[in-house]
Amino acid sequence: MAPRDASQERTSTPDTVERGMATLSTLRIGVKAFVEKNGEKRKAEILSIQTRNGQPHYYVHYEEFNKRLDEIVPASRLDLTQEVEWPAPEAPPKKSQRANAPAPKAAPVPKTVAGQKRPRTSTTSRKNSETPELTASTGNVQGKPSRPSLVGGKENRPESDHSISVIAPEIVASTGTPKPDDSDIDIVDLQDAAAAAKASNPQQTGPYSREEEIEKLRTGGSMTQNQAEVSRVRNLGRVQMGAFEIEPWYFSPYPASYALAETTYICEFCLSYADSPLSFERHRAKCTLLHPPGNEIYRDDHFSFFEIDGRRQRRWCRNLCLFSKLFLDHKTLYYDVDPFLFYCMTTRDQHGCHLVAYFSKEKESAEGYNVACILTLPQYQRRGYGLLLIAFSYELSKREGRLGSPEKPLSDLGLLGYRAYWAQTVVDVLTDESRGPEISVEEIGALTAMTTPDVLHTLQNLNMLRYSKGQHVIVLTNAVLEQKEKQREKERVKGRRRIEPDRLQWKPPVFTASSRTWNW
């Protein structure tokens, strides 16, 4: 197969695009014009046109920029002295073959004689009402042994190979936990629109080079974009949560009336939402919740972790999913929270436990995932809380006695966070002098609860895999050792927060079949 030309792939505008001059009255959705941003003129696509105080405002998406940087700009920031790109005209609908096909002739109805029963014209209804036969999936069949369940991870699959070997980088890039399908979307119009968009723009299945992957993360936001038109425009303008005022990044399916509110108020304890200060103050006067509604399973001098069952606390978990959708473009699950457990990280003060970050986890993951969705709230980002949350998820996997991996695909910030944690954890194991000079990939995974593909992925990113004397070996490079020394110096000055396993008061929960599924 011929190599791909990255320069041709990054060309965002085809040569056949119609260009021309435009005025404010002729601008429409889909037009690409130059917009002033940080003192520079940048090309942006108009996604929505709004009228505020009698003046037009435009919701634009900047080309080659992340979706979270989309914003509403006034007409004064548009540069209409340059040519704009007009959207391609919609293709006329294709006539289906059924429309051109002649109408089928009606079947002749046999005549009936007086006193004679009318003959049956069809047996479709009877066939549909017959009792289906028992199969291996509906029940046990006599004389056939029942097949064992494959639930519980990849290690229980009969086709899995328990012998693990170090493989080449291009093979590891395509291994790992498979991507989930799009069957989780529970809003019908979003699901249909996203499916149609994906069908018209299939994603690449081959491995990316490092440069292409960085470019994809920089310009694409999440690895899987929800391409439905309704979700391209951010619907909430501003969110106030506790003492923080936050600007959302993405669309979230809050009620349509909230899009008209200047500020959306969210209770930092019960996560209920209001669109006016008066209704929010009335709620706060009645709200008695001071911490997430679950069991506190970990506490140290700084943080507390709570475990919440989505089946028992549906409303709180649904509010959490709605709020997290404002900052996770790839999240598609909003209401069906029954099969999930939510682990919330909080800080404590005299007013209560304030939510800092959380991750959700399936009660029974067939793929062995230990994290389904993970988020550090924007007001607490860049403080090291994400690494602490990831470390807590792996500590739970160690208690369960199994290897864990996050659900793929990860968002852009999630991928960077996991890569930083994996690199830090693997290097800590390799630089531990008490373990000896030799260690295998399987032993690293057993010590850290990481899966073998994640360990190999980390070693390749750090350029620590070498081929010597007919086998692959792990080598600590000078760059890795220098980075480790810088990290130690930083820890001496600022310290390093760690999860202390002795403080974790938790046992792996056991659920019945009904509590692991949706219960409507």
Side-chain angles (χ1 to χ4, degrees):
M1 182 181 294
R4 295 176 289 114
D5 189 356
S7 62
Q8 295 181 1
E9 289 184 357
R10 295 177 185 173
T11 303
S12 59
T13 305
D15 297 333
T16 58
V17 171
E18 181 182 357
R19 295 181 174 86
M21 304 303 294
T23 61
L24 293 179
S25 59
T26 59
L27 289 178
R28 63 180 187 267
I29 296 176
V31 171
K32 295 182 179 180
F34 284 90
V35 181
E36 182 182 358
K37 181 176 177 61
N38 299 330
E40 299 181 8
K41 305 291 184 180
R42 299 190 180 275
K43 184 183 294 186
E45 179 183 358
I46 298 177
L47 301 182
S48 176
I49 301 178
Q50 307 173 8
T51 301
R52 298 185 175 184
N53 299 326
Q55 299 294 329
H57 287 69
Y58 303 88
Y59 186 87
V60 297
H61 166 69
Y62 298 97
E63 286 193 351
E64 298 184 357
F65 276 78
N66 195 286
K67 284 182 60 179
R68 67 173 66 97
L69 299 178
D70 297 355
E71 61 178 343
I72 298 177
V73 299
S76 58
R77 289 178 56 182
L78 298 179
D79 183 10
L80 299 182
T81 60
Q82 304 185 45
E83 291 185 342
V84 301
E85 296 181 5
W86 300 100
E90 297 182 359
K94 297 182 180 179
K95 296 183 178 180
S96 61
Q97 297 180 357
R98 292 184 178 181
N100 299 331
K105 297 181 179 180
V109 180
K111 298 180 179 180
T112 59
V113 184
Q116 183 179 359
K117 293 182 178 180
R118 180 173 296 178
R120 188 177 298 275
T121 57
S122 175
T123 59
T124 305
S125 60
R126 169 168 293 191
K127 290 181 179 179
N128 291 339
S129 62
E130 291 178 354
T131 303
E133 297 180 0
L134 289 176
T135 60
S137 60
T138 59
N140 294 331
V141 182
Q142 295 182 357
K144 293 185 179 181
S146 59
R147 292 184 295 178
S149 172
L150 298 183
V151 177
K154 297 182 178 180
E155 64 274 10
N156 292 335
R157 295 187 175 184
E159 67 271 16
S160 62
D161 186 7
H162 295 278
S163 58
I164 303 174
S165 59
V166 181
I167 50 182
E170 56 271 9
I171 300 178
V172 176
S174 61
T175 57
T177 48
K179 297 180 180 180
D181 54 17
D182 294 329
S183 60
D184 307 24
I185 304 179
D186 36 73
I187 297 181
V188 178
D189 53 352
L190 282 179
Q191 183 179 13
D192 296 340
K198 289 184 179 181
S200 62
N201 186 19
Q203 296 181 352
Q204 178 188 358
T205 57
Y208 289 96
S209 66
R210 181 172 179 83
E211 292 76 12
E212 292 171 335
E213 186 177 17
I214 294 176
E215 181 69 15
K216 181 178 178 65
L217 290 175
R218 185 180 72 87
T219 61
S222 300
M223 284 186 168
T224 55
Q225 299 291 330
N226 190 347
Q227 303 178 20
E229 289 296 330
V230 68
S231 66
R232 296 188 68 189
V233 179
R234 186 173 60 235
N235 54 339
L236 299 187
R238 188 168 54 208
V239 172
Q240 181 174 333
M241 185 178 183
F244 300 95
E245 204 170 77
I246 314 167
E247 182 179 355
W249 296 349
Y250 305 113
F251 169 87
S252 182
Y254 280 92
S257 60
Y258 282 70
L260 305 177
E262 182 178 353
T263 303
T264 299
Y265 302 88
I266 297 180
C267 178
E268 59 180 334
F269 296 111
C270 70
L271 303 182
S272 296
Y273 42 88
D275 57 355
S276 66
L278 178 61
S279 59
F280 181 70
E281 290 175 3
R282 294 174 61 184
H283 165 78
R284 286 298 305 145
K286 300 176 183 179
C287 183
T288 58
L289 196 63
L290 298 179
H291 59 80
N295 298 325
E296 186 178 8
I297 60 176
Y298 180 91
R299 173 182 288 194
D300 59 15
D301 298 335
H302 304 281
F303 303 102
S304 292
F305 283 86
F306 290 83
E307 181 185 55
I308 300 98
D309 190 347
R311 181 183 177 88
R312 296 185 178 182
Q313 301 291 339
R314 288 178 182 167
R315 183 174 182 178
W316 193 91
C317 295
R318 288 171 184 171
N319 290 340
L320 177 62
C321 291
L322 280 175
F323 178 71
S324 63
K325 179 63 182 70
L326 294 171
F327 312 101
L328 295 174
D329 187 32
H330 68 291
K331 188 176 181 59
T332 57
L333 187 65
Y334 316 123
Y335 302 109
D336 297 327
V337 296
D338 284 21
F340 294 90
L341 292 170
F342 294 82
Y343 295 90
C344 299
M345 176 180 176
T346 63
T347 57
R348 302 183 307 272
D349 60 13
Q350 67 273 16
H351 301 291
C353 296
H354 305 274
L355 182 65
V356 172
Y358 89 98
F359 70 88
S360 60
K361 177 180 180 180
E362 288 183 275
K363 295 177 181 177
E364 191 66 37
S365 175
E367 302 295 341
Y369 295 131
N370 65 349
V371 167
C373 181
I374 186 169
L375 172 70
T376 302
L377 271 59
Q379 61 266 35
Y380 296 105
Q381 291 181 0
R382 302 187 65 85
R383 301 185 187 180
Y385 296 156
L387 296 181
L388 200 65
L389 191 66
I390 295 173
F392 186 79
S393 68
Y394 278 101
E395 195 61 41
L396 297 183
S397 297
K398 294 177 183 178
R399 285 290 180 93
E400 293 175 335
R402 63 176 65 181
L403 305 182
S405 180
E407 185 174 329
K408 311 299 190 304
L410 292 165
S411 64
D412 53 346
L413 298 180
L415 180 62
L416 295 177
Y418 265 95
R419 282 183 173 174
Y421 172 79
W422 288 339
Q424 178 177 309
T425 304
V426 171
V427 172
D428 287 345
V429 172
L430 295 177
T431 55
D432 189 356
E433 299 178 355
S434 63
R435 303 193 185 279
E438 294 184 1
I439 190 172
S440 65
V441 174
E442 292 82 358
E443 292 174 347
I444 296 177
L447 292 172
T448 60
M450 294 170 53
T451 60
T452 300
D454 291 341
V455 175
L456 292 174
H457 177 79
T458 304
L459 294 175
Q460 290 169 7
N461 279 341
L462 298 177
N463 195 24
M464 294 171 59
L465 281 181
R466 298 289 188 273
Y467 189 79
S468 175
K469 298 180 180 180
Q471 63 179 356
H472 288 86
V473 295
I474 303 173
V475 178
L476 282 171
T477 61
N478 293 332
V480 171
L481 295 177
E482 292 176 0
Q483 184 64 28
K484 180 63 177 178
E485 287 298 326
K486 293 180 181 179
Q487 179 184 348
R488 289 176 178 173
E489 291 294 333
K490 184 178 180 180
E491 291 177 1
R492 293 190 188 100
V493 176
K494 297 184 177 181
R496 177 181 175 182
R497 297 191 182 100
R498 300 176 183 268
I499 296 296
E500 303 177 24
D502 297 337
R503 294 179 179 266
L504 179 60
Q505 305 296 324
W506 182 80
K507 291 182 179 180
V510 179
F511 299 95
T512 61
S514 60
S515 63
R516 292 195 303 264
T517 57
W518 291 271
N519 183 28
W520 297 104

